[in-house]
Amino acid sequence: MLHKVRGIVLKTTNYSESSVVVQVLTDKFGMQSYLINGVKKPKAKIKMNMLQSLHLLDMVVYHKANTNMQRVAEIRQTPVFRSIPYDMIKTSIVIFLNEVLYKSIRQQSADESLFDYIFNSIAWFDEVEEINPNFHLSFLLKLTRFLGFSPNGKRRNDQIYFDLQEGEFTSRLPLHSNYLLLDDAIAFISLFNSPLEKISEVKLSNAQRRFLLDKILVFYTLHTASFGVVQSHKILETLLS
């Protein structure tokens, strides 16, 4: 059967001389792999530039349950990015977020709330003219709501540590190194709670931003099975410093 779906590109892999397999997060079917033939040919109907990191798609697809590889009838970019492909910093941020998303999202089943959050956030990021260097930190912290390990921001006055393993404030120094002191913990929770439109109100130095990004990746590693090592943030840190 043919189905209309929305999609977010997460990974494109060469399959043959002219074909690719694209892993796409869809609103109706969750994560799916699509074989797209002839995409590298000069007159291809579906072009490779449609299949870049976190591009947003409207698709008409064939879907068979319990099949590892699906097929595509039509693809178009909706919305077409206005700035991300042409801005080095935005492109680097998207490549980094794409890497984290690919390592974090495993489910085959649909999760429309998760899909809508990613889709709408990336569409918003493409539209904003001024890049806020807090965007990727806030995006990743908000994403944890949908991945099932969001931080608990409730705190008593005597709780001056944030335990990344437990995801909550504590009054006792944890017996491990995965924690934040109060100032960094408050910034961490502020980035989680603040709407994307107001993340500029969270004031961070470049050093604190780099530190918090490292701790956010630790937070993901602690709570995501087989998360592995993320590399692309190192280039991003250089560009944003």
Side-chain angles (χ1 to χ4, degrees):
M1 288 182 63
L2 284 170
H3 300 265
K4 289 185 177 181
V5 302
R6 292 184 298 154
I8 303 168
V9 177
L10 291 182
K11 187 176 183 181
T12 301
T13 306
N14 292 331
Y15 183 77
S16 67
E17 186 174 328
S18 62
S19 303
V20 296
V21 173
V22 185
Q23 288 177 271
V24 180
L25 181 66
T26 70
D27 57 346
K28 289 186 178 180
F29 304 118
M31 187 78 81
Q32 296 293 325
S33 296
Y34 294 99
L35 175 61
I36 305 180
N37 292 317
V39 71
K40 298 179 185 178
K41 293 181 178 179
K43 296 184 179 181
K45 183 179 178 182
I46 300 171
K47 299 184 181 301
M48 279 294 293
N49 63 3
M50 298 180 180
L51 309 176
Q52 303 305 309
S53 298
L54 299 191
H55 272 45
L56 309 177
L57 308 174
D58 273 349
M59 309 169 68
V60 178
V61 302
Y62 300 93
H63 186 79
K64 293 183 179 180
N66 303 317
T67 300
N68 291 331
M69 194 88 73
Q70 309 289 353
R71 290 187 176 269
V72 172
E74 298 176 23
I75 288 181
R76 61 191 180 95
Q77 290 175 262
T78 305
V80 176
F81 285 157
R82 295 190 314 115
S83 65
I84 288 173
Y86 314 107
D87 186 301
M88 182 182 298
I89 294 177
K90 281 192 175 185
T91 298
S92 299
I93 289 171
V94 163
I95 289 171
F96 164 66
L97 293 179
N98 185 94
E99 183 179 1
V100 176
L101 286 165
Y102 183 73
K103 291 174 179 290
S104 304
I105 300 171
R106 303 278 190 243
Q107 70 266 36
Q108 294 290 324
S109 57
D111 184 338
E112 289 198 41
S113 295
L114 168 67
F115 179 91
D116 286 343
Y117 168 71
I118 300 170
F119 190 101
N120 293 335
S121 297
I122 297 301
W124 177 85
F125 183 58
D126 181 65
E127 288 291 327
V128 295
E129 293 185 8
E130 186 174 346
I131 300 169
N132 189 288
N134 292 339
F135 171 76
H136 53 299
L137 285 75
S138 185
F139 174 92
L140 291 179
L141 285 171
K142 290 175 173 58
L143 180 66
T144 63
R145 287 192 179 109
F146 306 95
L147 300 180
F149 58 94
S150 57
N152 181 354
K154 294 180 180 179
R155 171 184 167 265
R156 298 193 313 265
N157 288 338
D158 64 323
Q159 294 177 317
I160 61 172
Y161 308 101
F162 187 85
D163 188 327
L164 293 168
Q165 289 187 190
E166 300 299 325
E168 62 186 10
F169 283 95
T170 178
S171 58
R172 295 184 178 182
L173 180 67
L175 299 175
H176 52 76
S177 61
N178 299 318
Y179 66 88
L180 299 172
L181 297 176
L182 186 58
D183 286 350
D184 291 322
I186 290 172
F188 185 90
I189 296 301
S190 295
L191 289 166
F192 172 69
N193 286 327
S194 298
L196 288 177
E197 296 81 4
K198 295 187 177 181
I199 53 174
S200 60
E201 296 176 8
V202 183
K203 303 301 182 184
L204 302 173
S205 67
N206 285 337
Q208 189 178 22
R209 194 174 291 112
R210 287 193 296 271
F211 175 79
L212 285 173
L213 179 55
D214 286 342
K215 292 301 183 182
I216 289 169
L217 293 176
V218 169
F219 192 49
Y220 268 73
T221 302
L222 291 169
H223 298 281
T224 306
S226 304
F227 183 71
V229 178
V230 173
Q231 299 290 347
S232 54
H233 71 295
K234 296 176 182 177
I235 297 173
L236 182 59
E237 287 175 351
T238 302
L239 288 172
L240 292 176
S241 61

Coordinates of all heavy atoms in Angstrom, one line a residue, residues 74-152:
E74 N 7.6 8.8 -4.0 CA 7.8 10.2 -4.2 C 8.5 10.8 -3.0 O 8.2 10.4 -1.9 CB 6.5 11.0 -4.5 CG 5.7 10.6 -5.7 CD 4.4 11.3 -5.8 OE1 4.3 12.4 -5.2 OE2 3.5 10.8 -6.5
I75 N 9.3 11.8 -3.2 CA 9.9 12.6 -2.1 C 10.0 14.0 -2.5 O 10.3 14.4 -3.7 CB 11.4 12.1 -1.8 CG1 11.4 10.8 -1.1 CG2 12.1 13.1 -0.9 CD1 12.8 10.3 -0.7
R76 N 9.6 14.9 -1.6 CA 9.9 16.4 -1.8 C 10.3 17.0 -0.5 O 9.8 16.5 0.6 CB 8.8 17.1 -2.5 CG 7.5 17.1 -1.7 CD 6.3 17.6 -2.6 NE 5.1 17.6 -2.0 CZ 4.5 18.6 -1.3 NH1 5.2 19.8 -1.3 NH2 3.4 18.6 -0.7
Q77 N 11.1 18.0 -0.5 CA 11.5 18.7 0.7 C 10.4 19.7 1.1 O 10.0 20.5 0.3 CB 12.8 19.5 0.5 CG 14.0 18.6 0.3 CD 15.2 19.5 0.0 OE1 15.6 19.6 -1.2 NE2 15.8 20.1 1.0
T78 N 9.9 19.5 2.3 CA 8.9 20.4 2.9 C 9.1 20.6 4.4 O 8.9 19.6 5.1 CB 7.5 19.9 2.6 OG1 7.3 19.6 1.2 CG2 6.4 20.9 3.1
P79 N 9.5 21.8 4.8 CA 9.9 23.0 4.0 C 11.3 22.8 3.4 O 12.1 22.1 3.9 CB 9.8 24.1 5.0 CG 10.2 23.4 6.3 CD 9.6 22.0 6.3
V80 N 11.5 23.6 2.3 CA 12.8 23.6 1.8 C 13.7 24.6 2.7 O 13.2 25.7 3.0 CB 12.8 24.2 0.3 CG1 14.2 24.4 -0.2 CG2 12.0 23.3 -0.6
F81 N 14.8 24.1 3.1 CA 15.7 24.9 4.0 C 16.1 26.2 3.3 O 16.5 26.2 2.1 CB 16.9 24.2 4.4 CG 16.6 23.1 5.5 CD1 17.5 22.0 5.6 CD2 15.6 23.2 6.3 CE1 17.3 21.1 6.6 CE2 15.3 22.2 7.3 CZ 16.2 21.2 7.4
R82 N 16.0 27.3 4.0 CA 16.4 28.6 3.5 C 17.9 29.0 3.9 O 18.5 29.7 3.2 CB 15.5 29.7 4.0 CG 14.1 29.6 3.5 CD 13.3 30.9 3.8 NE 13.5 31.3 5.2 CZ 14.0 32.5 5.6 NH1 14.5 33.3 4.6 NH2 14.2 32.8 6.8
S83 N 18.3 28.4 5.0 CA 19.6 28.9 5.5 C 20.6 27.8 5.9 O 21.8 27.9 5.8 CB 19.4 29.8 6.8 OG 18.8 29.1 7.8
I84 N 20.1 26.6 6.4 CA 20.9 25.6 7.0 C 22.0 25.2 6.0 O 23.2 25.1 6.3 CB 20.1 24.4 7.5 CG1 19.4 24.8 8.8 CG2 21.0 23.2 7.8 CD1 18.5 23.8 9.4
P85 N 21.7 24.9 4.7 CA 22.7 24.4 3.8 C 23.8 25.4 3.4 O 24.8 25.1 2.9 CB 21.9 23.9 2.6 CG 20.5 23.8 3.0 CD 20.4 24.8 4.1
Y86 N 23.5 26.7 3.7 CA 24.3 27.8 3.2 C 25.1 28.5 4.4 O 25.8 29.5 4.1 CB 23.5 28.8 2.5 CG 22.5 28.1 1.5 CD1 21.2 28.1 1.7 CD2 23.0 27.5 0.3 CE1 20.3 27.4 0.9 CE2 22.2 26.9 -0.6 CZ 20.8 26.8 -0.3 OH 20.0 26.2 -1.1
D87 N 24.9 28.1 5.6 CA 25.5 28.7 6.7 C 26.4 27.6 7.4 O 25.9 26.6 7.9 CB 24.4 29.2 7.7 CG 25.0 30.0 8.9 OD1 25.8 29.4 9.6 OD2 24.6 31.1 9.1
M88 N 27.7 27.9 7.5 CA 28.6 26.9 8.0 C 28.3 26.5 9.4 O 28.4 25.3 9.8 CB 30.1 27.4 7.9 CG 31.1 26.4 8.3 SD 32.8 27.0 8.2 CE 32.9 27.3 6.5
I89 N 28.0 27.5 10.3 CA 27.7 27.2 11.7 C 26.4 26.4 11.8 O 26.4 25.4 12.5 CB 27.7 28.5 12.5 CG1 29.1 29.1 12.5 CG2 27.2 28.2 13.9 CD1 29.1 30.4 13.3
K90 N 25.4 26.8 11.1 CA 24.1 26.0 11.2 C 24.3 24.6 10.6 O 23.8 23.7 11.2 CB 23.0 26.8 10.4 CG 22.4 27.9 11.1 CD 21.1 28.4 10.4 CE 20.4 29.5 11.2 NZ 19.1 29.9 10.6
T91 N 25.0 24.5 9.6 CA 25.3 23.1 9.0 C 26.0 22.3 10.0 O 25.7 21.1 10.2 CB 26.1 23.3 7.7 OG1 25.4 24.0 6.7 CG2 26.5 21.9 7.2
S92 N 27.0 22.8 10.7 CA 27.8 22.1 11.7 C 26.9 21.7 12.9 O 27.0 20.6 13.4 CB 29.0 22.9 12.2 OG 29.8 23.2 11.1
I93 N 26.0 22.6 13.3 CA 25.1 22.2 14.4 C 24.2 21.1 14.0 O 24.0 20.1 14.8 CB 24.3 23.5 14.8 CG1 25.2 24.5 15.5 CG2 23.1 23.1 15.7 CD1 24.6 25.8 15.8
V94 N 23.7 21.2 12.8 CA 22.8 20.1 12.3 C 23.5 18.8 12.2 O 22.9 17.7 12.5 CB 22.1 20.6 11.0 CG1 21.5 19.4 10.2 CG2 21.0 21.6 11.2
I95 N 24.7 18.8 11.7 CA 25.5 17.5 11.6 C 25.7 16.9 13.0 O 25.6 15.7 13.2 CB 26.8 17.8 10.9 CG1 26.5 18.0 9.4 CG2 27.7 16.6 11.0 CD1 27.8 18.5 8.6
F96 N 26.0 17.8 13.9 CA 26.2 17.3 15.3 C 24.9 16.7 15.9 O 24.9 15.6 16.4 CB 26.7 18.4 16.2 CG 26.5 18.2 17.7 CD1 27.3 17.2 18.3 CD2 25.6 18.9 18.4 CE1 27.1 16.9 19.6 CE2 25.5 18.6 19.8 CZ 26.2 17.6 20.4
L97 N 23.8 17.4 15.7 CA 22.5 17.0 16.3 C 22.1 15.7 15.6 O 21.5 14.8 16.2 CB 21.4 18.0 16.1 CG 21.6 19.3 16.9 CD1 20.5 20.3 16.7 CD2 21.7 19.0 18.4
N98 N 22.4 15.6 14.3 CA 22.0 14.4 13.5 C 22.8 13.2 14.1 O 22.2 12.1 14.2 CB 22.4 14.6 12.0 CG 22.0 13.4 11.2 OD1 21.0 13.4 10.6 ND2 22.9 12.4 11.1
E99 N 24.0 13.4 14.4 CA 24.8 12.3 15.0 C 24.2 11.8 16.3 O 24.1 10.6 16.6 CB 26.3 12.7 15.2 CG 27.2 11.5 15.7 CD 28.6 11.9 15.9 OE1 29.0 13.1 15.7 OE2 29.4 11.0 16.3
V100 N 23.9 12.7 17.2 CA 23.3 12.4 18.5 C 21.9 11.7 18.3 O 21.6 10.7 18.9 CB 23.1 13.6 19.4 CG1 22.4 13.2 20.7 CG2 24.5 14.2 19.7
L101 N 21.1 12.2 17.4 CA 19.8 11.6 17.1 C 19.9 10.2 16.6 O 19.2 9.3 17.1 CB 19.0 12.5 16.2 CG 18.4 13.8 16.7 CD1 18.0 14.7 15.6 CD2 17.3 13.5 17.6
Y102 N 20.8 10.0 15.7 CA 21.0 8.7 15.1 C 21.4 7.7 16.2 O 21.0 6.5 16.1 CB 22.0 8.7 14.0 CG 22.2 7.4 13.3 CD1 21.2 6.9 12.4 CD2 23.3 6.6 13.5 CE1 21.3 5.7 11.8 CE2 23.4 5.4 12.9 CZ 22.4 4.9 12.0 OH 22.6 3.7 11.4
K103 N 22.3 8.1 17.1 CA 22.7 7.2 18.2 C 21.7 7.0 19.2 O 21.7 6.0 20.0 CB 24.0 7.8 18.8 CG 25.2 7.7 17.9 CD 26.4 8.4 18.6 CE 27.6 8.4 17.7 NZ 28.2 7.1 17.6
S104 N 20.7 7.9 19.3 CA 19.7 7.8 20.4 C 18.4 7.2 20.0 O 17.7 6.6 20.9 CB 19.4 9.3 20.9 OG 20.5 10.0 21.2
I105 N 18.0 7.3 18.8 CA 16.6 6.8 18.4 C 16.8 5.4 17.7 O 17.4 5.3 16.7 CB 16.0 7.8 17.4 CG1 15.8 9.2 18.1 CG2 14.6 7.3 16.9 CD1 15.4 10.3 17.1
R106 N 16.1 4.5 18.3 CA 16.2 3.1 17.8 C 14.9 2.5 17.4 O 14.8 1.6 16.6 CB 16.8 2.2 18.9 CG 18.2 2.6 19.4 CD 19.3 2.2 18.5 NE 20.6 2.4 19.1 CZ 21.5 3.2 18.6 NH1 21.2 3.9 17.5 NH2 22.7 3.4 19.2
Q107 N 13.8 3.1 17.9 CA 12.5 2.4 17.8 C 12.0 2.4 16.4 O 12.1 3.3 15.6 CB 11.4 3.0 18.7 CG 11.0 4.4 18.3 CD 11.7 5.5 19.0 OE1 12.9 5.4 19.2 NE2 11.0 6.6 19.3
Q108 N 11.3 1.2 16.1 CA 10.7 1.1 14.8 C 9.2 1.6 14.8 O 8.7 2.0 13.8 CB 10.6 -0.4 14.4 CG 12.0 -1.0 14.1 CD 12.6 -0.5 12.8 OE1 11.9 -0.2 11.9 NE2 13.9 -0.3 12.8
S109 N 8.7 1.7 16.0 CA 7.3 2.1 16.2 C 7.2 3.6 16.1 O 8.2 4.3 16.4 CB 6.7 1.6 17.5 OG 7.5 2.1 18.6
A110 N 6.1 4.2 15.7 CA 5.9 5.6 15.6 C 5.8 6.3 16.9 O 5.2 5.7 17.9 CB 4.6 5.9 14.7
D111 N 6.3 7.5 17.0 CA 6.2 8.3 18.2 C 6.0 9.8 17.6 O 7.0 10.5 17.4 CB 7.4 8.3 19.1 CG 7.3 9.1 20.3 OD1 6.4 10.0 20.4 OD2 8.0 8.8 21.3
E112 N 4.7 10.1 17.4 CA 4.5 11.4 16.7 C 4.9 12.6 17.5 O 5.3 13.7 17.0 CB 3.0 11.5 16.3 CG 2.6 10.5 15.2 CD 1.3 10.9 14.5 OE1 1.1 12.1 14.3 OE2 0.6 10.0 14.2
S113 N 4.9 12.5 18.9 CA 5.3 13.6 19.7 C 6.8 13.8 19.5 O 7.3 15.0 19.4 CB 5.0 13.3 21.2 OG 3.6 13.3 21.4
L114 N 7.6 12.8 19.5 CA 9.0 12.9 19.3 C 9.3 13.4 17.9 O 10.1 14.4 17.7 CB 9.7 11.5 19.4 CG 11.1 11.3 18.9 CD1 12.1 12.1 19.8 CD2 11.5 9.9 18.9
F115 N 8.6 12.9 16.9 CA 8.8 13.4 15.5 C 8.5 14.9 15.4 O 9.3 15.6 14.8 CB 7.9 12.6 14.6 CG 8.0 13.0 13.1 CD1 8.9 12.4 12.3 CD2 7.2 14.1 12.7 CE1 9.1 12.9 11.0 CE2 7.4 14.5 11.3 CZ 8.3 13.9 10.5
D116 N 7.3 15.3 16.0 CA 6.9 16.7 15.8 C 7.9 17.6 16.5 O 8.2 18.7 16.0 CB 5.5 16.9 16.4 CG 4.4 16.3 15.5 OD1 4.7 16.1 14.3 OD2 3.3 16.1 16.0
Y117 N 8.5 17.2 17.7 CA 9.4 18.0 18.4 C 10.7 18.2 17.5 O 11.1 19.4 17.3 CB 9.9 17.4 19.7 CG 11.1 18.1 20.3 CD1 11.0 19.3 20.8 CD2 12.3 17.5 20.3 CE1 12.1 20.0 21.3 CE2 13.4 18.1 20.8 CZ 13.3 19.4 21.3 OH 14.4 20.1 21.7
I118 N 11.2 17.2 16.9 CA 12.4 17.3 16.1 C 12.1 18.1 14.8 O 12.8 19.1 14.5 CB 13.0 15.9 15.7 CG1 13.4 15.1 17.0 CG2 14.2 16.1 14.8 CD1 13.7 13.7 16.7
F119 N 11.0 17.8 14.2 CA 10.7 18.4 12.9 C 10.5 19.9 13.1 O 11.0 20.8 12.4 CB 9.4 17.8 12.4 CG 9.0 18.2 11.0 CD1 9.3 17.4 9.9 CD2 8.4 19.4 10.7 CE1 8.9 17.7 8.6 CE2 8.0 19.8 9.4 CZ 8.3 18.9 8.4
N120 N 9.7 20.3 14.1 CA 9.4 21.7 14.4 C 10.6 22.5 14.8 O 10.8 23.7 14.5 CB 8.2 21.8 15.4 CG 6.9 21.3 14.8 OD1 6.7 21.3 13.6 ND2 6.0 20.9 15.7
S121 N 11.5 21.8 15.6 CA 12.7 22.5 16.1 C 13.6 22.8 15.0 O 14.2 23.9 14.9 CB 13.3 21.7 17.2 OG 12.5 21.5 18.3
I122 N 13.8 21.9 14.1 CA 14.7 22.1 13.0 C 14.2 23.1 12.0 O 14.9 23.9 11.5 CB 15.1 20.7 12.3 CG1 15.8 19.8 13.3 CG2 15.9 21.0 11.0 CD1 17.1 20.3 13.8
A123 N 12.9 23.0 11.8 CA 12.3 24.0 10.9 C 12.4 25.4 11.5 O 12.7 26.4 10.8 CB 10.8 23.7 10.7
W124 N 12.2 25.6 12.8 CA 12.4 26.9 13.5 C 13.9 27.3 13.4 O 14.1 28.5 13.1 CB 12.0 26.7 15.0 CG 12.2 27.9 15.8 CD1 11.3 29.0 15.9 CD2 13.4 28.3 16.6 NE1 11.9 29.9 16.7 CE2 13.1 29.5 17.2 CE3 14.6 27.6 16.9 CZ2 14.0 30.2 18.0 CZ3 15.5 28.2 17.7 CH2 15.2 29.5 18.3
F125 N 14.8 26.4 13.6 CA 16.2 26.8 13.5 C 16.6 27.3 12.2 O 17.4 28.2 12.0 CB 17.0 25.6 13.9 CG 18.5 25.8 14.0 CD1 19.1 26.7 14.8 CD2 19.4 25.0 13.2 CE1 20.4 27.0 14.8 CE2 20.8 25.2 13.2 CZ 21.3 26.2 14.1
D126 N 16.0 26.7 11.1 CA 16.3 27.1 9.8 C 15.8 28.6 9.5 O 16.4 29.3 8.8 CB 15.7 26.2 8.7 CG 16.0 26.6 7.3 OD1 17.2 26.6 6.9 OD2 15.0 27.0 6.6
E127 N 14.7 28.9 10.2 CA 14.0 30.2 9.9 C 14.7 31.3 10.7 O 14.7 32.5 10.2 CB 12.6 30.1 10.3 CG 11.7 29.3 9.4 CD 11.5 30.0 8.0 OE1 11.5 31.3 8.0 OE2 11.4 29.3 7.0
V128 N 15.3 31.1 11.9 CA 15.8 32.2 12.7 C 17.1 32.7 12.0 O 17.9 32.0 11.5 CB 16.2 31.8 14.1 CG1 14.9 31.4 14.9 CG2 17.2 30.6 14.2
E129 N 17.2 34.1 12.0 CA 18.3 34.7 11.3 C 19.6 34.7 12.2 O 20.7 34.5 11.7 CB 17.9 36.1 10.9 CG 16.9 36.2 9.9 CD 16.6 37.6 9.4 OE1 17.3 38.5 9.8 OE2 15.7 37.8 8.6
E130 N 19.4 34.9 13.5 CA 20.6 35.0 14.4 C 20.7 33.7 15.1 O 19.8 33.2 15.8 CB 20.4 36.1 15.4 CG 21.6 36.3 16.3 CD 21.4 37.5 17.2 OE1 20.5 38.4 17.0 OE2 22.2 37.7 18.2
I131 N 21.9 33.1 15.0 CA 22.2 31.8 15.6 C 22.4 32.0 17.1 O 23.3 32.7 17.4 CB 23.4 31.1 14.9 CG1 23.1 30.9 13.4 CG2 23.7 29.8 15.6 CD1 24.3 30.5 12.7
N132 N 21.7 31.3 17.9 CA 22.0 31.3 19.3 C 22.8 30.1 19.7 O 22.5 29.0 19.4 CB 20.7 31.3 20.1 CG 20.9 31.6 21.6 OD1 21.5 30.7 22.3 ND2 20.6 32.7 22.1
P133 N 24.0 30.4 20.3 CA 24.9 29.3 20.5 C 24.4 28.3 21.6 O 25.1 27.3 21.9 CB 26.2 30.0 21.0 CG 25.8 31.3 21.5 CD 24.6 31.7 20.7
N134 N 23.3 28.6 22.2 CA 22.7 27.7 23.2 C 21.7 26.7 22.5 O 21.2 25.8 23.2 CB 21.9 28.4 24.3 CG 22.8 29.3 25.2 OD1 24.0 29.0 25.3 ND2 22.2 30.3 25.8
F135 N 21.4 26.9 21.2 CA 20.4 26.1 20.6 C 20.6 24.6 20.8 O 19.7 23.8 21.2 CB 20.2 26.4 19.1 CG 19.3 25.5 18.4 CD1 17.9 25.6 18.5 CD2 19.8 24.5 17.6 CE1 17.1 24.8 17.9 CE2 18.9 23.6 16.9 CZ 17.6 23.8 17.1
H136 N 21.8 24.1 20.4 CA 22.0 22.6 20.4 C 21.9 22.0 21.8 O 21.5 20.9 22.0 CB 23.3 22.3 19.7 CG 24.5 23.0 20.2 ND1 24.6 24.3 20.1 CD2 25.6 22.5 20.7 CE1 25.8 24.7 20.6 NE2 26.4 23.6 21.0
L137 N 22.4 22.8 22.8 CA 22.3 22.3 24.2 C 20.8 22.2 24.6 O 20.4 21.2 25.2 CB 23.0 23.3 25.1 CG 24.6 23.2 25.1 CD1 25.2 23.9 23.9 CD2 25.1 23.9 26.4
S138 N 20.1 23.3 24.4 CA 18.7 23.2 24.8 C 17.9 22.2 24.0 O 17.1 21.5 24.6 CB 18.1 24.6 24.5 OG 16.8 24.7 25.0
F139 N 18.2 22.0 22.7 CA 17.5 21.0 21.9 C 17.7 19.6 22.5 O 16.7 18.9 22.6 CB 18.0 21.1 20.4 CG 17.5 20.0 19.6 CD1 16.3 20.2 18.8 CD2 18.1 18.8 19.5 CE1 15.8 19.2 18.0 CE2 17.6 17.7 18.7 CZ 16.5 17.9 17.9
L140 N 18.9 19.3 22.8 CA 19.2 18.0 23.3 C 18.6 17.7 24.7 O 18.1 16.6 25.0 CB 20.8 17.7 23.4 CG 21.5 17.6 22.0 CD1 23.0 17.4 22.2 CD2 20.9 16.5 21.2
L141 N 18.6 18.7 25.5 CA 18.0 18.6 26.8 C 16.5 18.4 26.7 O 15.9 17.5 27.4 CB 18.4 19.7 27.8 CG 19.8 19.7 28.3 CD1 20.1 21.0 29.0 CD2 20.0 18.5 29.2
K142 N 15.9 19.1 25.9 CA 14.4 19.0 25.7 C 14.1 17.6 25.0 O 13.0 17.0 25.3 CB 13.9 20.1 24.8 CG 13.9 21.5 25.5 CD 13.4 22.6 24.5 CE 13.3 23.9 25.2 NZ 14.5 24.4 25.9
L143 N 15.0 17.2 24.2 CA 14.8 15.9 23.5 C 14.6 14.7 24.6 O 13.9 13.7 24.3 CB 15.9 15.6 22.6 CG 15.9 14.3 21.8 CD1 14.7 14.3 20.8 CD2 17.2 14.1 21.1
T144 N 15.3 14.9 25.7 CA 15.3 13.8 26.7 C 13.8 13.5 27.2 O 13.5 12.4 27.7 CB 16.2 14.1 27.9 OG1 15.7 15.3 28.6 CG2 17.6 14.3 27.5
R145 N 13.0 14.5 27.1 CA 11.6 14.3 27.5 C 10.9 13.2 26.7 O 10.2 12.4 27.2 CB 10.7 15.6 27.2 CG 10.9 16.7 28.2 CD 9.8 17.8 28.0 NE 10.0 18.9 28.9 CZ 10.4 20.1 28.5 NH1 10.7 20.3 27.2 NH2 10.5 21.1 29.4
F146 N 11.3 13.1 25.4 CA 10.7 12.1 24.5 C 11.5 10.8 24.5 O 11.0 9.8 24.1 CB 10.7 12.7 23.1 CG 10.0 14.0 23.1 CD1 10.7 15.2 23.1 CD2 8.6 14.1 23.0 CE1 10.1 16.5 23.1 CE2 8.0 15.4 23.0 CZ 8.7 16.5 23.0
L147 N 12.7 10.8 25.0 CA 13.5 9.6 25.1 C 13.4 8.9 26.4 O 13.9 7.8 26.6 CB 15.0 10.0 24.8 CG 15.3 10.6 23.4 CD1 16.8 10.9 23.3 CD2 14.8 9.7 22.3
G148 N 12.7 9.6 27.4 CA 12.4 8.9 28.7 C 13.4 9.1 29.8 O 13.3 8.3 30.8
F149 N 14.3 10.1 29.7 CA 15.2 10.3 30.8 C 15.4 11.8 31.1 O 16.5 12.3 31.4 CB 16.5 9.6 30.6 CG 17.3 10.0 29.4 CD1 18.3 11.0 29.4 CD2 17.0 9.4 28.1 CE1 19.0 11.3 28.2 CE2 17.7 9.7 27.0 CZ 18.7 10.7 27.1
S150 N 14.3 12.6 31.1 CA 14.4 14.0 31.3 C 14.9 14.3 32.7 O 14.5 13.6 33.7 CB 13.1 14.7 31.0 OG 12.1 14.1 31.8
P151 N 15.6 15.4 32.9 CA 16.1 15.7 34.3 C 15.0 16.2 35.2 O 14.0 16.9 34.7 CB 17.1 16.8 34.0 CG 16.7 17.4 32.7 CD 16.1 16.3 31.9
N152 N 15.1 15.9 36.4 CA 14.1 16.4 37.4 C 14.7 17.7 38.0 O 15.7 17.7 38.6 CB 13.9 15.4 38.6 CG 12.9 15.9 39.6 OD1 12.4 17.0 39.6 ND2 12.6 15.0 40.5

